[in-house]
Amino acid sequence: MSKKNVLVAQSGGPTVAINASLAGVIQGVLDSEKYDTIYGSIYGILGILENNLMNLSEKVSESKNFLDTLKVSPAMYLGSCRYKLPDYEDDDATYTFIFNQLKKYNIGAFFYIGGNDSMDTVLKLSHYGEQIGSDVRIIGIPKTIDNDLCETDHTPGFGSAAKYVAATILEVAHDTFIYSVPSVTILEIMGRDAGWLTAASALARNDYNTAPHLIYLPEVAFDRQQFVSDIKAQLAKRNNVIVAVSEGIRDKAGNYISASTATNDQFGHSQLSGTGKCLEYLVKEEINVKCRSIEINVLQRAAAHCSSLTDLDESVMLGRQAVAEAEKGNTKCMMTLNRISNTPYKCEIGFAGIDHIANEAKSVPREWINEAGNDITPALLEYLAPLIIGEPDIQYKNGLPVYLPVEHLDTGK
Amino acid sequence: MSKKNVLVAQSGGPTVAINASLAGVIQGVLDSEKYDTIYGSIYGILGILENNLMNLSEKVSESKNFLDTLKVSPAMYLGSCRYKLPDYEDDDATYTFIFNQLKKYNIGAFFYIGGNDSMDTVLKLSHYGEQIGSDVRIIGIPKTIDNDLCETDHTPGFGSAAKYVAATILEVAHDTFIYSVPSVTILEIMGRDAGWLTAASALARNDYNTAPHLIYLPEVAFDRQQFVSDIKAQLAKRNNVIVAVSEGIRDKAGNYISASTATNDQFGHSQLSGTGKCLEYLVKEEINVKCRSIEINVLQRAAAHCSSLTDLDESVMLGRQAVAEAEKGNTKCMMTLNRISNTPYKCEIGFAGIDHIANEAKSVPREWINEAGNDITPALLEYLAPLIIGEPDIQYKNGLPVYLPVEHLDTGK
């Protein structure tokens, strides 16, 4: 039987581990006796629709450090997209086109590395493929800094983002503690629906650092007056209070805190200010104290120079194992990480049917948040701790980290 | 002649190199045959006024990695202050108290590590000491991420901040280039009066990365319509445009761009939005394109895990040499870095009289900015490039950088 080729793509928001999974898939194909050439689809599923593919086998053979550098490079080497496939009952033509493309390139397996929305694409393509009797294996490989995918203990990209958030809180604590003047510092952390990443701020606590002193997650309804009381209670105990807050906190009625501070810009248009900025205004209004808010912004998903080696290693393994599962005939599934033990930390690779993953989200369990709703429990800290361990070997040139060139994405018009 | 003791303090805003200079001063005293115990004043000059001193000689002897860890730790181990000494013509009592304290602790030399305002303190104490015939040597050791101190080629702390800014721009570029949808990303960088740090964003450019595509410094009057034209011209050439802008840009009339977007918060009070946010609104209003602004915030002065080894090494040397100069009898001066050559990079330690340093600031020369005022010249890039070279050996524990404990600053009440 002649060898088939492989297609891989990346989708959704960036993480620093999504290229590590790509490196794993490529390595899996290089090691495979069943698969031949590996193609990458540029800009996620759009590359297939627009016939924009890249021969990754050639790229690897051209550059000897390709896979090592790819593993530590942030964001998506192949580019990304935010494209939702139509339902195939409504639009059969898109699906016909995609499966014709797979046939044209002699594709035996398609791997889609992404988050919730990308698993929706895996689900739809799997179902359609099944319906038309296609033998193309379709497997999802998870990634998201939000850590909110079901069926997997945690998601690739989360551990590195958690490490960055914790390191940032620690460094901001050093920055804040230097003044004897009382102050409140609020850090706004990503995670619109799940508080996993905000919870990771607690990893910054150590023998001498007590920050963050308060933690607010979207899983608990946010109460402004309680928040003000919490801050006052902390200020009675120490000069410099540091708060970690999720961008997604909502009040009892379900309204985002950020949305409640609509302000008018210079053109008279309504603009939403961020959650951290909103709480900064609240503190300044209710308590006579110096207050600063910091939005960590995209750096928490892009700072590859501060990645977790545990995260990158697991991401590579998921990619390699995905190829092995496809070889065995598995399809219509997403690769998963299954934690065996915490001490010592041990995690195995598995897979789960895609039906129960796409379009569902995993929140922080209420029992992992303290009763007052302003901190996390030791059990959650124990879950988080192993995920940020280890530092990858990043090369530096001219004082800056060396990442894989992406000039094919910074295109002229 | 019996040995004298040494007093050292830190002041102003944090950098990641100000502890390296402290480590240098401590090492200098340990190596000295003239000086005995070294005391640290907690919270800058306030520690002397409030009798809050720490015996650093004891600290060093208690912990074997003290100096190595101190060198790589962010912010001020001794805490800081924003305290301006009164003129001694107005308030002789404060000066009498300070010099009595110096006498009480048998201080032979006082080192103040800080920026512009701290050099004002060095100036005033020097003048007063001269007037009363004190033989205490008083020497300033520069630091500021703004790089705006006179008489020195560059300032400790700037190289590391520059490295962080450049690494961040590079990582944001990777994060931004993944989408085929046009976008504008604006990074707001610290530097209210001088554009050195914003200029350092250009160090992110390499073989494949063209970002930042536009750079705006406070040294050139900012024109909103020209800015919109610049963005449009860039969007005609590429999908994803990245802009580096100083927080301190002003229009022709001298008004801060940030201040012109006063908005009303939820309580009806006027709030100033940041420069980046202001330009984001402008782009959204004038051009129909996705736009995001990112305020790098305090991380550019606190991210010790991304320090420049060149910066830290020079900072240590400045501290050591300051002690040597005091031993030789020099006083009333600030230590300086004097660049000998660019390739190979060579820098010598010197010192300059304090009179012409305090309360003056060094801007980016106009000839180092391009004619259009939206980029820097190769000559400025050549000046900046050597300052970010090298990575210190940071230890990690539980996945996070190991810094020197500052529990003495996170005090209860």
Side-chain angles (χ1 to χ4, degrees):
Chain A
M1 202 179 84
S2 76
K3 284 186 181 181
K4 292 257 187 178
N5 299 321
V6 164
L7 183 66
V8 62
Q10 301 169 307
S11 173
T15 81
V16 300
I18 190 165
N19 281 330
S21 286
L22 176 61
V25 172
I26 296 173
Q27 190 62 56
V29 172
L30 293 179
D31 296 345
S32 164
E33 295 190 352
K34 193 164 175 181
Y35 295 124
D36 190 14
T37 301
I38 175 164
Y39 294 99
S41 172
I42 305 293
Y43 300 127
I45 194 83
L46 292 179
I48 305 174
L49 293 170
E50 294 165 2
N51 210 32
N52 190 3
L53 303 190
M54 173 189 259
N55 186 324
L56 288 166
S57 302
E58 270 176 15
K59 279 277 173 189
V60 173
S61 64
E62 279 166 20
S63 149
K64 74 182 165 73
N65 294 324
F66 187 91
L67 288 180
D68 288 344
T69 310
L70 179 61
K71 179 184 167 184
V72 299
S73 296
M76 285 85 155
Y77 179 70
L78 297 173
S80 181
C81 69
R82 296 260 187 211
Y83 178 80
K84 202 174 163 75
L85 273 180
D87 286 333
Y88 53 79
E89 289 90 348
D90 300 339
D91 178 4
D92 187 72
T94 301
Y95 290 83
T96 311
F97 185 82
I98 291 172
F99 279 85
N100 276 341
Q101 287 283 72
L102 297 176
K103 199 168 179 183
K104 179 175 144 197
Y105 285 93
N106 192 30
I107 302 300
F110 172 52
F111 302 99
Y112 209 32
I113 314 172
N116 247 315
D117 293 340
S118 314
M119 294 311 138
D120 179 69
T121 300
V122 171
L123 177 70
K124 285 172 173 164
L125 290 178
S126 296
H127 278 176
Y128 186 84
E130 202 171 39
Q131 196 175 290
I132 63 166
S134 163
D135 64 353
V136 178
R137 310 302 173 205
I138 300 177
I139 298 182
I141 300 171
K143 70 85 211 164
T144 165
I145 62 165
D146 293 336
N147 198 38
D148 62 351
L149 282 175
C150 296
E151 299 282 346
T152 184
D153 176 77
H154 56 280
T155 56
F158 172 67
S160 293
K163 186 188 187 95
Y164 182 81
V165 164
T168 296
I169 295 269
L170 180 62
E171 288 170 341
V172 168
H174 277 262
D175 191 273
T176 301
F177 292 162
I178 60 167
Y179 294 116
S180 56
V181 179
S183 72
V184 175
T185 306
I186 298 165
L187 285 101
E188 179 187 325
I189 297 162
M190 282 181 169
R192 196 136 271 270
D193 298 309
W196 297 104
L197 195 53
T198 303
S201 63
L203 294 168
R205 293 177 189 150
N206 59 26
D207 292 349
Y208 66 91
N209 173 46
T210 53
H213 307 106
L214 295 164
I215 302 175
Y216 299 96
L217 312 185
E219 281 81 357
V220 177
F222 186 81
D223 183 291
R224 285 174 179 76
Q225 284 318 309
Q226 187 56 50
F227 170 76
V228 171
S229 301
D230 289 351
I231 298 277
K232 283 180 178 167
Q234 285 293 331
L235 282 170
K237 282 192 275 186
R238 53 175 47 87
N239 269 333
N240 306 105
V241 176
I242 295 179
V243 182
V245 61
S246 163
E247 62 176 346
I249 53 167
R250 271 156 288 190
D251 62 21
K252 218 183 283 181
N255 298 314
Y256 285 110
I257 298 305
S258 51
S260 68
T261 53
T263 56
N264 290 320
D265 68 7
Q266 58 179 335
F267 309 103
H269 295 163
S270 180
Q271 296 280 351
L272 299 186
S273 62
T275 307
K277 193 54 87 177
C278 167
L279 297 184
E280 178 191 321
Y281 295 166
L282 187 62
V283 168
K284 285 176 174 169
E285 178 71 17
E286 301 274 331
I287 310 170
N288 185 24
V289 68
K290 195 176 124 189
C291 185
R292 180 199 286 273
S293 64
I294 301 169
E295 188 184 350
I296 304 188
N297 217 308
V298 300
L299 300 199
Q300 59 205 297
R301 70 183 193 198
H305 72 272
C306 186
S307 298
S308 154
L309 185 59
T310 298
D311 184 27
L312 298 190
D313 282 347
E314 288 179 347
S315 302
V316 170
M317 282 192 293
L318 276 180
R320 290 185 76 153
Q321 191 59 31
V323 177
E325 296 302 341
E327 282 188 326
K328 286 188 234 162
N330 286 312
T331 184
K332 215 180 157 183
C333 62
M334 181 186 84
M335 303 304 295
T336 60
L337 291 160
N338 308 319
R339 192 183 302 222
I340 306 302
S341 71
N342 255 344
T343 42
Y345 174 67
K346 213 183 149 195
C347 206
E348 284 180 355
I349 309 288
F351 61 92
I354 194 73
D355 291 290
H356 301 300
I357 295 171
N359 308 315
E360 287 178 38
K362 186 174 70 177
S363 300
V364 176
R366 185 60 184 84
E367 63 267 27
W368 278 4
I369 304 170
N370 74 344
E371 210 184 314
N374 60 15
D375 206 340
I376 67 166
T377 67
L380 178 45
L381 205 60
E382 205 179 314
Y383 164 87
L384 294 167
L387 309 182
I388 68 164
I389 301 297
E391 293 70 47
D393 183 24
I394 308 270
Q395 301 300 306
Y396 279 77
K397 190 184 166 187
N398 300 328
L400 294 177
V402 175
Y403 300 135
L404 207 57
V406 287
E407 71 283 339
H408 55 286
L409 299 180
D410 180 23
T411 46
K413 282 185 176 179
Chain B
M1 203 178 84
S2 74
K3 283 186 181 182
K4 292 258 185 177
N5 299 323
V6 164
L7 183 66
V8 61
Q10 301 169 306
S11 174
T15 80
V16 300
I18 191 164
N19 281 331
S21 287
L22 176 60
V25 171
I26 297 173
Q27 190 61 56
V29 172
L30 293 179
D31 296 344
S32 164
E33 295 189 354
K34 192 164 176 181
Y35 295 123
D36 190 14
T37 301
I38 174 163
Y39 295 98
S41 172
I42 305 293
Y43 300 128
I45 194 82
L46 292 179
I48 306 174
L49 293 171
E50 294 164 3
N51 211 30
N52 191 3
L53 304 191
M54 173 188 260
N55 186 324
L56 287 167
S57 301
E58 270 176 16
K59 278 278 172 188
V60 173
S61 64
E62 278 165 21
S63 150
K64 74 182 166 72
N65 294 324
F66 187 90
L67 289 180
D68 288 344
T69 311
L70 180 61
K71 180 183 168 185
V72 300
S73 296
M76 284 84 156
Y77 177 70
L78 298 173
S80 181
C81 68
R82 296 259 188 213
Y83 178 80
K84 204 175 162 72
L85 274 180
D87 285 334
Y88 52 79
E89 288 90 349
D90 300 338
D91 178 4
D92 188 71
T94 301
Y95 290 83
T96 310
F97 185 83
I98 290 172
F99 279 85
N100 277 341
Q101 286 283 73
L102 298 177
K103 200 168 179 182
K104 178 175 145 196
Y105 285 93
N106 192 29
I107 301 300
F110 172 52
F111 301 98
Y112 209 32
I113 315 173
N116 247 316
D117 294 340
S118 315
M119 294 310 138
D120 179 69
T121 299
V122 171
L123 178 70
K124 285 172 174 165
L125 290 178
S126 296
H127 277 175
Y128 186 84
E130 202 171 40
Q131 196 176 291
I132 62 168
S134 163
D135 64 352
V136 178
R137 311 300 173 205
I138 300 176
I139 297 182
I141 300 170
K143 71 83 212 164
T144 165
I145 62 165
D146 293 337
N147 198 39
D148 61 352
L149 282 175
C150 296
E151 299 282 346
T152 185
D153 176 77
H154 56 281
T155 57
F158 171 67
S160 293
K163 186 188 188 95
Y164 182 81
V165 164
T168 295
I169 295 269
L170 180 62
E171 289 170 342
V172 168
H174 277 262
D175 191 273
T176 301
F177 292 163
I178 61 167
Y179 293 116
S180 57
V181 179
S183 72
V184 174
T185 305
I186 299 165
L187 285 101
E188 179 187 325
I189 297 162
M190 281 181 168
R192 196 136 271 268
D193 298 310
W196 298 104
L197 194 54
T198 303
S201 63
L203 293 168
R205 293 177 189 150
N206 59 25
D207 291 349
Y208 66 91
N209 173 46
T210 53
H213 306 105
L214 295 164
I215 301 175
Y216 299 95
L217 311 185
E219 282 81 357
V220 177
F222 186 81
D223 183 291
R224 285 174 179 77
Q225 283 319 310
Q226 187 56 50
F227 169 75
V228 171
S229 299
D230 288 352
I231 299 278
K232 282 181 178 167
Q234 285 293 332
L235 281 170
K237 283 192 275 186
R238 52 174 48 86
N239 269 333
N240 307 104
V241 176
I242 295 178
V243 182
V245 61
S246 163
E247 61 176 347
I249 53 167
R250 272 156 286 189
D251 62 21
K252 216 183 283 180
N255 299 313
Y256 285 111
I257 298 305
S258 51
S260 67
T261 54
T263 56
N264 291 318
D265 68 7
Q266 58 178 336
F267 309 104
H269 295 161
S270 180
Q271 296 282 350
L272 300 187
S273 62
T275 307
K277 193 52 89 177
C278 167
L279 296 184
E280 178 191 322
Y281 294 166
L282 187 61
V283 167
K284 284 177 174 170
E285 178 70 17
E286 300 275 331
I287 310 169
N288 185 23
V289 68
K290 194 176 124 190
C291 185
R292 180 200 287 272
S293 64
I294 301 169
E295 189 183 348
I296 303 188
N297 218 309
V298 300
L299 299 199
Q300 60 204 298
R301 69 185 194 196
H305 72 271
C306 186
S307 297
S308 154
L309 184 59
T310 298
D311 184 27
L312 297 190
D313 282 346
E314 288 179 347
S315 301
V316 171
M317 282 192 294
L318 277 180
R320 291 185 76 154
Q321 191 59 31
V323 177
E325 297 301 340
E327 283 188 326
K328 286 188 233 163
N330 286 311
T331 183
K332 215 181 157 185
C333 61
M334 181 187 84
M335 303 304 296
T336 59
L337 291 161
N338 308 318
R339 190 182 304 220
I340 306 302
S341 71
N342 256 343
T343 43
Y345 174 67
K346 213 184 151 196
C347 206
E348 284 180 354
I349 309 289
F351 61 92
I354 194 72
D355 291 291
H356 301 301
I357 294 170
N359 309 314
E360 287 179 36
K362 186 174 70 177
S363 301
V364 176
R366 185 60 183 84
E367 63 266 26
W368 278 2
I369 304 169
N370 73 344
E371 209 184 316
N374 59 15
D375 205 340
I376 67 165
T377 66
L380 178 46
L381 204 60
E382 205 179 312
Y383 164 87
L384 294 168
L387 309 182
I388 68 166
I389 301 297
E391 293 71 48
D393 184 23
I394 309 269
Q395 300 301 306
Y396 280 77
K397 188 183 168 190
N398 300 329
L400 294 178
V402 175
Y403 299 135
L404 207 58
V406 287
E407 71 283 339
H408 54 286
L409 300 180
D410 180 24
T411 46
K413 281 185 178 177

